[in-house]
C-alpha cells in the first residue's frame, strides 16, 4: 500500500511539472512574464523528457533561437500548439514580429476576442495583424516606454501565429 501511495505521488508530481512548464510557456506567449527568459531558462536546464518537454537551441548572438516542444499541448481559447520558438533574429513570417511565439491550430477569431486583441492603428509598432500591449507595470516595477505586446497573425482559417514581441524589437 505504501509503495502504491509513493507511485501515485510521483505520477501526480510529474503531471504538475508538465503543466508548470506549459503554464510558463503560455505565460511567455501572452507576455505575462519576461518571455525570452522563460525559454532561455528551459534551454539552460536542458531537455526534461520525464517532465514532458524537450528543448534545443541553435545559432549564436543575434540569431540565437530556442525551440521548446511539449508533450502535452498548450491550449489558449481552445487553440493548441506543441512547440514554442524564442528568437530575436529577423522574423521568419511576414507581418509577424513576436520574439516568443507558436503556430497554433484553432479558431483565431475566438482567440482574438478572448484576448481582446485589436488591429493596430500604427504600422510602426505592429507585432501582428491583431495585438494588445501589456502594461509594463503588470509584469515589472520598471517603467517601459515600449511594452511587451501580444500579437496574432492568421495564416489560414484554422492556423495562426500567436506570441509576444515589443515595438522596438
Amino acid at each position: 500500500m505504501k509503495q502504491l501511495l509513493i507511485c501515485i505521488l510521483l505520477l501526480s508530481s510529474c503531471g504538475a511539472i508538465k503543466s508548470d512548464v506549459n503554464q510558463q510557456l503560455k505565460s511567455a506567449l501572452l507576455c505575462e512574464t519576461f518571455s525570452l527568459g522563460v525559454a532561455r531558462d528551459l534551454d539552460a536546464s536542458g531537455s526534461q523528457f520525464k517532465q514532458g518537454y524537450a528543448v534545443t537551441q541553435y545559432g549564436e548572438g543575434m540569431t540565437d533561437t530556442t525551440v521548446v516542444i511539449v508533450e502535452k499541448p498548450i491550449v489558449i481559447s481552445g487553440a493548441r500548439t506543441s512547440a514554442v520558438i524564442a528568437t530575436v533574429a529577423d522574423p521568419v513570417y511576414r507581418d509577424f514580429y513576436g520574439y516568443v511565439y507558436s503556430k497554433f491550430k484553432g479558431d483565431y477569431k475566438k482567440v482574438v476576442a478572448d484576448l481582446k486583441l485589436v488591429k493596430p492603428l500604427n504600422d510602426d509598432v505592429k507585432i501582428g495583424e491583431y495585438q494588445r500591449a501589456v502594461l509594463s507595470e503588470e509584469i515589472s516595477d520598471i517603467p517601459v516606454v515600449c511594452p511587451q505586446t501580444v500579437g496574432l497573425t492568421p495564416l489560414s482559417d484554422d492556423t495562426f501565429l500567436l506570441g509576444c514581441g515589443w515595438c522596438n524589437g
Side-chain angles (χ1 to χ4, degrees), residues 45-130:
S45 65
S47 294
Q48 304 292 322
F49 301 113
K50 290 183 181 179
Q51 295 177 7
Y53 72 94
V55 62
T56 189
Q57 181 274 330
Y58 58 91
E60 58 187 5
M62 291 305 290
T63 64
D64 181 20
T65 300
T66 301
V67 180
V68 182
I69 300 170
V70 292
E71 178 180 24
K72 180 182 170 193
I74 298 167
V75 180
I76 297 177
S77 297
R80 299 175 171 276
T81 189
S82 294
V84 175
I85 299 166
T87 187
V88 291
D90 289 335
V92 175
Y93 293 95
R94 190 173 69 114
D95 295 332
F96 186 78
Y97 301 94
Y99 58 86
V100 175
Y101 68 94
S102 288
K103 184 189 283 188
F104 279 82
K105 198 90 160 134
D107 181 0
Y108 81 87
K109 293 175 186 171
K110 179 171 177 20
V111 177
V112 166
D114 288 351
L115 296 180
K116 298 177 174 69
L117 305 177
V118 296
K119 289 198 177 226
L121 298 175
N122 183 347
D123 282 341
D124 292 340
V125 293
K126 187 174 180 180
I127 304 302
E129 187 174 326
Y130 300 90

Side-chain angles (χ1 to χ4, degrees), residues 15 17 26-29 37 42 45-46 58-59 71 90-91 118 120 122 124 126 136 144-145 151 168-169:
I17 291 168
K26 183 177 178 180
S27 291
L29 291 167
L42 291 171
S45 65
Y58 58 91
E71 178 180 24
D90 289 335
V118 296
N122 183 347
D124 292 340
K126 187 174 180 180
S136 59
V144 177
V145 175
N168 61 356

